[in-house]
Amino acid sequence: MQRYIKVGLLISALLSFSAMAEALKIEITQGVSSAQPIAVIPFSTTQVVEGLPVDIAQVVSDDLAGSGRFKPLSRIDMLNKPSTAEQVNFRNWQALGQDNLVVGKVMTDASGKLLVQFQLFDVYKGEQITGFSIPASRSNLRGVAHRISDLIYEKLTGQKGAFSTRMAYVTSMLGSNGKTEYKIQVADADGYGAKTIVSSTEPMMSPAWSPRGDKISYVSYEARRSSIYTQTLKTGQREKLRSFKGINGAPSWSPDGTQLALTLSKDGSADIYIYNVITRSFRRLTRSYAIDTEPDWSPDGRQIIFTSDRGGKPQIYRISVNGGQAARVTFEGSYNARASYSPDGKFITMVQRVNGQYRIATLELKTGFTTILTNGQLDESPSYAPNGSMILYSTNDGLKSILAAVSSDGKVRQKLRLRGGDVREPAWSPFKTK
């Protein structure tokens, strides 16, 4: 395990976007006891659009169930399957104990293009809460379904949904030639639509999304030397930052997309540097004989947190992007590392060692209060969802490395498995993805 210095290692031979890979399989291991009952009725279709490749209602139902905050009604328990408001008998759904009801249909508009309509109802008030008509194509029906899930989630919880976002992660699998193949892949938030952006027989790590979600930076160990690359997802084109002797690692994008924080050891010890994407210049931010690594920007772009052992043990420190004296942030526990900010900047998530085991924790910056969220032996690489509701991380499941997710309050838990290989180093995308 790269417990602390997740810096210089990794990958790559450019493949651009390859064929679809196997989806990650989501298993909900814990939900909230007060999950809202909701019925998502199968969407009706006209004869013109029969044989759609995606069951939209099932995707929506799975999304809501996966959040742990909703309990969708099984289809076999549905008394009938309305597709319009006129067909809804609210007493039937009240009798089944459902708080909300979703109906919808897929049709074509005047120009012959697909149109997906849905309505969300409050069962006990007998009123429509929201409803939209969304243009679609057969190739983006899953995306439309995720968009519907986002709208429903936001309307019922008051929090923006993140079902339309994506995640990047590193997989490793033993090939037929006896060599391990490493890949950085990107998939939808539900694990579907996985695509490989880069592959190599060398290890990979540290994928980091640009704030617009159109690029990913990562570390490559090509030619037995660590280098940082930035790759455009749409075209597969990648650019190599200037590679220095020693460590080149841990890239992290600034919120405005103009700078990268990273770890370099070109001047001796491993320190945090700022790379200006426009001028292609480097600026040293920390100066310490210790190891400073794993930087992450605050949401307002004014500060950077990072891991350092300058106090003797790995702890989280904070420094202004303009430089100056670094201040220690974590004081509880002898090991705290791999920290990142919550989207609202009020918390950080990190890896904390507890009785010899590595757990995912959060720290409220205002109060200094720490909460342990996981109970694994080797939990690492936490990454916040862009709405702050969940934290994605990697963990061990027997002899395999899998991804897992936990809600920021610890009440909801998921596991995401990849059959036949290991998966680690997750990074959740921002809202704006291309």
Side-chain angles (χ1 to χ4, degrees), residues 106-117:
V106 186
M107 62 189 73
T108 55
D109 61 18
S111 64
K113 296 181 180 179
L114 286 182
L115 193 66
V116 179
Q117 294 184 350

Side-chain angles (χ1 to χ4, degrees), residues 52-287:
L52 294 176
V54 175
D55 185 335
I56 296 174
Q58 189 62 57
V59 174
V60 173
S61 181
D62 290 344
D63 281 346
L64 297 177
S67 73
R69 303 185 185 279
F70 295 91
K71 185 179 180 181
L73 182 68
S74 170
R75 290 185 177 183
I76 61 174
D77 294 326
M78 295 178 181
L79 300 178
N80 57 4
K81 296 177 181 177
S83 59
T84 64
E86 294 74 23
Q87 296 171 350
V88 175
N89 184 330
F90 289 105
R91 289 186 178 180
N92 288 343
W93 303 102
Q94 292 171 7
L96 291 173
Q98 301 305 297
D99 291 344
N100 300 104
L101 176 71
V102 180
V103 302
K105 53 187 176 179
V106 186
M107 62 189 73
T108 55
D109 61 18
S111 64
K113 296 181 180 179
L114 286 182
L115 193 66
V116 179
Q117 294 184 350
F118 83 95
Q119 294 169 284
L120 170 66
F121 297 98
D122 183 311
V123 169
Y124 289 94
K125 291 183 179 180
E127 298 175 353
Q128 177 176 313
I129 300 174
T130 191
F132 284 89
S133 294
I134 304 174
S137 66
R138 288 179 177 266
S139 63
N140 79 335
L141 285 175
R142 289 196 70 88
V144 171
H146 292 319
R147 175 59 178 149
I148 292 172
S149 301
D150 286 336
L151 292 167
I152 293 171
Y153 184 91
E154 183 171 8
K155 207 67 179 178
L156 296 180
T157 69
Q159 183 178 50
K160 190 173 181 179
F163 304 110
S164 297
T165 58
R166 295 181 289 174
M167 55 183 172
Y169 49 86
V170 177
T171 67
S172 60
M173 189 176 300
L174 188 64
S176 57
N177 59 0
K179 294 183 178 181
T180 299
E181 183 179 23
Y182 301 89
K183 298 177 181 178
I184 292 182
Q185 295 188 322
V186 172
D188 293 345
D190 64 352
Y192 280 81
K195 295 179 180 180
T196 299
I197 69 165
V198 66
S199 177
S200 177
T201 55
E202 299 294 340
M204 309 183 206
M205 69 184 294
S206 302
W209 291 88
S210 66
R212 293 184 60 192
D214 57 342
K215 297 178 181 179
I216 288 180
S217 293
Y218 54 86
V219 183
S220 167
Y221 213 93
E222 299 172 33
R224 306 293 179 179
R225 182 174 180 175
S226 63
S227 300
I228 298 174
Y229 288 82
T230 294
Q231 186 160 327
T232 302
L233 298 182
K234 186 175 182 179
T235 64
Q237 181 180 359
R238 66 175 184 164
E239 179 183 358
K240 179 181 176 181
L241 275 65
R242 183 181 174 188
S243 184
F244 299 97
K245 182 179 179 180
I247 294 171
N248 299 268
S252 174
W253 284 87
S254 64
D256 64 2
T258 64
Q259 300 177 93
L260 279 168
L262 40 88
T263 298
L264 301 176
S265 62
K266 68 184 186 70
D267 296 313
S269 61
D271 280 299
I272 307 299
Y273 289 73
I274 303 295
Y275 173 73
N276 189 301
V277 175
I278 300 172
T279 64
R280 300 188 179 186
S281 59
F282 293 86
R283 173 171 60 90
R284 190 173 180 177
L285 186 62
T286 67
R287 296 176 181 272

